[in-house]
Amino acid sequence: MKYDIAEYERKMTDTYGMLSLTELALEYYLLYEIWEGGTNRYMDNDSAECDFIHAMIKKIIRNEELSSDNTVFEDMRALITEKMQVVTAYVDRLIVYEHVLNRMEPGYTMDADERRKSASEIGKEALVRDIINFIFEDKDSVSINDRLHMILGQLPVRMARSKYLQLIRNSINLYGDSDMDALDGYVYMLRTTAMIYEPPGMDRHFTEFADILKEFGEADYSDMDGRYYTILREKLDAAAADLRNISDMYMVYQKIVNMFYVYNLNKINDDVKKDGLYDSCIRILSGLEGAFCGEADNADDVEQYLSGLEGAPETMYEKRLSLESLYDTMLNEACGSEVMRVLGISKLLFSDSIFAKTDMQEPAGVTREYLDEVADKLTEDLSDMFARSGRYVTRSVMALTFERLPVFFKTADEIIDYIKDSLDRCSDDAELIAVSGLIRELIL
């Protein structure tokens, strides 16, 4: 299907405008269910995020422009993104400590004789063979790399810090022909995985988790009794559940704000508003807004209007994808059209990357100086972290970052040798039992 530029812009604008309103009705309903059901204690109807959402919903109901300045949406997106980065930093730290505790668990669930017997019954040669078969079962290189990374994150790590840091530096050097965004994204991933990323706002948002992580950071994992192990495990599980609730909440917030942004960018014309779908969305938003304000009867009417949305999101989703497939071609022909620029922002806001920046600037290339600067700073910070941490935490950080590194083996033989050496050098019965069980769960 081909469109001229004006027709394409009109169809795309109408689709984005109406689809954003439909998504708002569904997401606002989800927000209400969370609040009304009390299933998430981090859902605060008086928060800055909820105040912003309710204010915008009121404007939509009154058919008013949401804002003459899109900065209000950018600012709210930035606040939510900042809080999510803090949550991510906390979650990644807990993942490291969970990795540590998992490998210690058999030391507290089995007595010494049971551990020795269980460890002696682990056939290392058979385990290596099963691991190799798992990795190379599919001849596709992407599948091989994915499975190898999964295994590397579970195997015992017995590697000198100097060699590990060299692997980190080598991986950064691979970005020499890339752009700054790609390199910065990779380094961010390594930093947060290794617990050395301190996002802005970590001293302001969700600080109740700071004391928990401080306790995990100060724990002596080489000399820990069963009672304290159980305490740490329970604290970790509780904190992880709380952080999942926070993350779920802020995903909903960001999706709603993104849809406000799209709705404000793509004005729905009067002809489209005559459609019954528009009316159903407004009735849903109006009923929910009243329910949030304590008018409980309004919420009872929402269910009947939800049926008016049945099938509509799926139909518009297919239409959106069809139109978006032509976007790059139309953009080249539009010669700097402001409408096409707005549609590009809307396209990004509808993407799966709900926290993506909307500036859409062409990223700069990586310079040799920047590459060296990044590598020096990252390896220095990793060295400092290792100096403050015991061997249990150090090994877990190494294993988890191995999952993120480009494959550093040149041949299949090197992979086999690494796996054999990793298991042969593991003299801790509890760790060997735990690792064997975790790997068996992966490969079977």
Side-chain angles (χ1 to χ4, degrees), residues 127-385:
L127 182 57
V128 170
R129 183 172 61 252
D130 290 342
I131 292 172
I132 296 302
N133 288 338
F134 169 74
I135 292 172
F136 293 101
E137 181 179 21
D138 191 330
K139 301 306 178 185
D140 178 67
S141 60
V142 174
S143 176
I144 291 172
N145 285 345
D146 287 345
R147 292 184 173 207
L148 176 57
H149 280 117
M150 291 167 60
I151 294 298
L152 289 175
Q154 300 301 331
L155 286 171
V157 177
R158 299 296 186 268
M159 180 181 289
R161 294 179 186 180
S162 57
K163 182 177 180 180
Y164 169 81
L165 294 174
Q166 187 59 53
L167 289 175
I168 295 292
R169 185 175 288 276
N170 292 345
S171 74
I172 291 175
N173 285 332
L174 295 175
Y175 284 80
D177 295 326
S178 187
D179 58 59
M180 299 278 277
D181 285 356
L183 175 59
D184 290 346
Y186 174 67
V187 172
Y188 161 77
M189 183 174 58
L190 290 181
R191 282 187 166 277
T192 190
T193 302
M195 304 195 299
I196 55 174
Y197 176 63
E198 295 286 335
M202 203 162 185
D203 58 340
R204 299 190 304 276
H205 308 310
F206 317 118
T207 53
E208 63 267 33
F209 297 100
D211 289 341
I212 297 172
L213 287 170
K214 184 173 184 289
E215 182 175 5
F216 277 105
E218 294 176 349
D220 183 358
Y221 297 99
S222 62
D223 184 20
M224 183 179 295
D225 61 32
R227 177 177 170 276
Y228 190 47
Y229 171 88
T230 300
I231 290 172
L232 287 183
R233 171 62 77 177
E234 290 174 351
K235 287 186 176 182
L236 186 144
D237 291 342
D242 285 342
L243 287 166
R244 278 194 299 272
N245 281 333
I246 296 172
S247 178
D248 291 345
M249 194 72 269
Y250 278 84
M251 292 286 284
V252 176
Y253 288 157
Q254 188 77 332
K255 178 67 178 293
I256 290 175
V257 174
N258 283 356
M259 292 303 97
F260 284 144
Y261 200 162
V262 175
Y263 183 84
N264 200 56
L265 288 171
N266 300 273
K267 311 303 180 188
I268 300 176
N269 67 56
D270 291 337
D271 288 338
V272 175
K273 287 181 180 179
K274 293 176 183 177
D275 187 276
L277 178 62
Y278 176 83
D279 187 57
S280 292
C281 290
I282 296 300
R283 287 177 181 273
I284 290 168
L285 295 175
S286 180
L288 292 172
E289 193 276 330
F292 270 116
C293 295
E295 301 169 15
D297 290 344
N298 289 29
D300 297 335
D301 299 329
V302 169
E303 294 286 347
Q304 63 177 306
Y305 297 120
L306 281 170
S307 63
L309 271 57
E310 187 173 350
E314 292 79 7
T315 301
M316 286 188 290
Y317 175 78
E318 293 298 329
K319 186 177 181 180
R320 174 175 74 84
L321 292 184
S322 176
L323 289 166
E324 285 182 347
S325 68
L326 301 171
Y327 177 77
D328 290 339
T329 300
M330 292 297 184
L331 182 64
N332 290 333
E333 296 179 9
C335 302
S337 160
E338 174 62 17
V339 175
M340 290 300 293
R341 186 190 71 82
V342 166
L343 292 176
I345 296 174
S346 302
K347 181 173 180 283
L348 182 63
L349 291 167
F350 259 113
S351 72
D352 293 334
S353 303
I354 65 172
F355 294 95
K357 295 179 180 179
T358 60
D359 55 15
M360 297 189 298
Q361 294 180 358
E362 194 68 28
V366 174
T367 64
R368 182 72 251 177
E369 292 76 17
Y370 186 68
L371 207 65
D372 291 340
E373 177 186 338
V374 167
D376 289 344
K377 179 60 175 171
L378 179 57
T379 52
E380 177 185 341
D381 289 346
L382 283 167
S383 295
D384 290 344
M385 187 273 295

Side-chain angles (χ1 to χ4, degrees), residues 11 15 24 49 54 56 60 71 77 106 129 150 155 166 205-206 208 255 282 293 354 375 394 400 435 442:
K11 286 181 176 291
T15 299
L24 280 169
E49 294 85 3
H54 296 325
M56 291 295 164
I60 292 176
T71 302
R77 293 183 80 244
R129 183 172 61 252
M150 291 167 60
L155 286 171
Q166 187 59 53
H205 308 310
F206 317 118
E208 63 267 33
K255 178 67 178 293
I282 296 300
C293 295
I354 65 172
T394 295
L400 291 168
V435 165
L442 279 178

Side-chain angles (χ1 to χ4, degrees), residues 122-133 135-136 148 151-152 154-159 409 411-427 432 435 439:
I122 295 173
K124 291 184 179 180
E125 290 185 5
L127 182 57
V128 170
R129 183 172 61 252
D130 290 342
I131 292 172
I132 296 302
N133 288 338
I135 292 172
F136 293 101
L148 176 57
I151 294 298
L152 289 175
Q154 300 301 331
L155 286 171
V157 177
R158 299 296 186 268
M159 180 181 289
F409 303 106
T411 67
D413 286 341
E414 287 187 10
I415 295 173
I416 295 170
D417 289 343
Y418 179 86
I419 295 170
K420 285 181 177 178
D421 185 64
S422 172
L423 294 172
D424 287 342
R425 294 177 62 185
C426 181
S427 58
L432 181 61
V435 165
I439 290 177

